């Protein structure tokens, strides 16, 4: 369940910019998350071995899958963040990069099929700091092989994070992030103990799940989700339901509660020990639109400004995290 916390944690979340507002209006903060992933395409083979099968395993080139995405896998995120270095002292973004993708690119580079320096731009940007000493480009935690963490046990979750930490730290040259983008942005409270035990302090969660955990959630069939389980609706009705316009958004959203980070907790039923992390909402509908091509697909000002009437708490401002694939779609 999601409970509104007394003090919300924004420290570890890298903010790209604050939306322009009137001088007496609380600003809305906007951040970007780009997700990069490719799997190990054939068990117990590296990518060059799979490519050498000559089409007997796949009808496409697994090498071309990677080389056609050279920009996202090398310099594009670094270049995007660099545009705000001079104008925004606390600007930045997040990237999740699976361990299997790093492994593939290293094997491709060793075979001369990809740049030997492919990670350099990421290493550079990962070392940039904001005025508050947060990473400009936060290479957030992930599961090495893209596991759906809500469907595996705590030991396996921890092992996936440990494997990812090892390859991420050696690749990016920085300490492991305190935040996580869980694979497929899929989250379950059962994950909380393993995340906390591995030092994860905040985790991105699709804000549709914030909404569904509240009484009064106005479910509609067009949202492509089953109705929420009544037993999971443990939070009071926020009474801030808003029908978005200017983008695909079939269901109303919580315009205040659903765009603010909250503490989420899990109590071990055997020991009574409580584990807690911060759930950072990712903007389901806005992220989808932004993923189709950035500005133009999502008209930031006209869409995000619809939240302004609900952004009335200076201590807990609204945060819009635009999350999407960094190497697919638009």
């Amino acid at each position: 369940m999601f409970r509104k916390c007394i003090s919300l944690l924004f420290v570890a979340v890298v903010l790209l910019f604050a939306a322009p507002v009137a001088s007496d209006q609380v600003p809305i903060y906007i951040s970007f998350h780009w997700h990069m992933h490719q799997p190990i395409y054939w068990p117990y083979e590296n990518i060059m071995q799979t490519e050498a099968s000559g089409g007997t395993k796949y009808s496409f080139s697994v090498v071309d899958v990677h080389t056609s995405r050279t920009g996202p896998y090398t310099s594009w995120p670094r270049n995007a963040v660099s545009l705000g270095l001079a104008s925004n002292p606390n600007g930045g973004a997040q990237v999740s990069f699976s361990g299997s993708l790093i492994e593939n690119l290293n094997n491709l580079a060793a075979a001369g099929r990809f740049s030997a320096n492919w990670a350099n731009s990421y290493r550079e940007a990962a070392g940039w700091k904001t005025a508050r000493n947060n990473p400009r480009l936060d290479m957030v935690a992930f599961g090495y092989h893209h596991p759906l963490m809500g469907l595996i046990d705590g030991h396996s979750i921890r092992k996936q994070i440990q494997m990812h930490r090892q390859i991420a730290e050696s690749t990016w040259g920085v300490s492991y992030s305190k935040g996580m983008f869980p694979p497929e942005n899929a989250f379950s409270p059962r994950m909380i103990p393993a995340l906390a035990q591995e030092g994860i302090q905040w985790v991105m969660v699709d804000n549709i799940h914030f909404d569904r955990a509240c009484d009064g959630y106005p479910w509609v069939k067009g949202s492509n989700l089953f109705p929420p389980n009544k037993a999971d609706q443990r939070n009071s009705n926020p009474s801030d339901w808003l029908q978005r316009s200017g983008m695909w958004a079939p269901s109303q959203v919580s315009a205040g509660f659903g765009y603010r980070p909250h503490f989420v907790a899990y109590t071990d039923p055997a020991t009574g020990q409580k584990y807690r992390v911060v759930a950072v909402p990712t903007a389901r509908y806005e992220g989808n639109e932004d993923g189709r091509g950035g500005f133009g697909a999502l008209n930031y000002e006209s869409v995000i400004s619809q939240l302004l009437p609900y952004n009335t708490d200076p201590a807990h401002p609204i945060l819009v995290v635009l999350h999407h694939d960094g190497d697919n779609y638009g």
Side-chain angles (χ1 to χ4, degrees):
M1 67 180 174
F2 298 99
R3 293 192 181 277
K4 189 171 183 179
C5 65
I6 296 174
S7 178
L8 305 185
L9 179 64
F10 286 95
V11 174
V13 181
V14 183
L15 304 176
L16 185 66
F17 60 87
V21 295
S23 59
D24 59 345
Q25 175 69 55
V26 179
I28 290 175
Y29 289 91
I30 303 168
S31 189
F32 291 81
H33 176 78
W34 300 303
H35 170 57
M36 312 289 182
H37 168 64
Q38 295 293 336
I40 303 299
Y41 275 86
W42 198 265
Y44 308 107
E45 289 186 356
N46 69 44
I47 190 169
M48 294 308 301
Q49 292 171 321
T50 304
E51 179 77 359
S53 65
T56 60
K57 292 173 179 172
Y58 293 101
S59 61
F60 56 89
S61 167
V62 293
V63 170
D64 287 350
V65 169
H66 296 72
T67 56
S68 65
R69 293 163 169 80
T70 299
Y73 295 161
T74 57
S75 60
W76 285 4
R78 178 261 181 215
N79 293 345
V81 171
S82 72
L83 296 176
L85 291 178
S87 60
N88 192 335
N90 287 300
Q94 291 80 223
V95 170
S96 54
F97 214 105
S98 69
S100 54
L101 174 56
I102 294 173
E103 184 178 331
N104 285 348
L105 294 178
N106 285 340
N107 284 324
L108 288 171
R113 300 296 296 274
F114 208 81
S115 171
N117 300 317
W118 70 266
N120 283 5
S121 289
Y122 278 105
R123 289 178 67 91
E124 178 189 10
W128 292 341
K129 297 293 185 179
T130 69
R132 295 174 180 168
N133 203 38
N134 291 313
R136 289 271 192 179
L137 188 64
D138 195 353
M139 305 301 294
V140 297
F142 198 68
Y144 190 100
H145 288 292
H146 198 287
L148 289 177
M149 291 182 172
L151 302 179
I152 60 177
D153 63 26
H155 174 79
S156 298
I157 293 173
R158 295 191 66 181
K159 181 58 69 176
Q160 287 281 334
I161 295 172
Q162 290 163 10
M163 291 170 60
H164 186 261
R165 177 188 291 111
Q166 183 177 20
I167 198 169
E169 288 187 339
S170 63
T171 301
W172 315 131
V174 294
S175 297
Y176 203 51
S177 175
K178 298 176 182 178
M180 167 175 277
F181 179 77
E184 298 299 332
N185 208 185
F187 179 78
S188 167
R190 293 186 298 274
M191 297 160 49
I192 294 173
L195 300 186
Q197 289 164 350
E198 288 302 321
I200 303 301
Q201 297 181 5
W202 56 268
V203 58
M204 298 184 213
V205 179
D206 194 310
N207 68 347
I208 195 74
H209 300 299
F210 283 62
D211 298 354
R212 289 165 58 85
C214 294
D215 285 337
Y217 167 63
W219 176 83
V220 295
K221 187 175 182 180
S223 64
N224 295 330
L225 296 169
F226 290 111
N229 187 325
K230 293 292 185 182
D232 293 333
Q233 294 183 292
R234 303 286 297 278
N235 299 288
S236 60
N237 191 332
S239 301
D240 58 2
W241 305 108
L242 173 68
Q243 181 61 58
R244 309 305 303 278
S245 61
M247 63 175 177
W248 178 80
S251 63
Q252 296 180 48
V253 300
S254 166
F257 179 87
Y259 287 89
R260 291 186 175 97
H262 305 275
F263 283 112
V264 290
Y266 180 91
T267 301
D268 188 321
T271 66
Q273 183 172 355
K274 179 178 287 188
Y275 300 89
R276 189 173 74 163
V277 296
V278 174
V280 176
T282 53
R284 182 195 192 202
Y285 295 133
E286 295 93 330
N288 179 69
E289 291 292 299
D290 194 53
R292 295 194 302 112
F295 187 78
L298 174 65
N299 293 305
Y300 300 135
E301 187 168 358
S302 64
V303 170
I304 295 175
S305 65
Q306 296 167 30
L307 302 173
L308 282 172
Y310 305 87
N311 193 34
T312 57
D313 184 353
H316 309 113
I318 282 175
L319 171 64
V320 179
V321 179
L322 301 172
H323 66 308
H324 33 60
D325 276 353
D327 57 357
N328 291 317
Y329 212 6

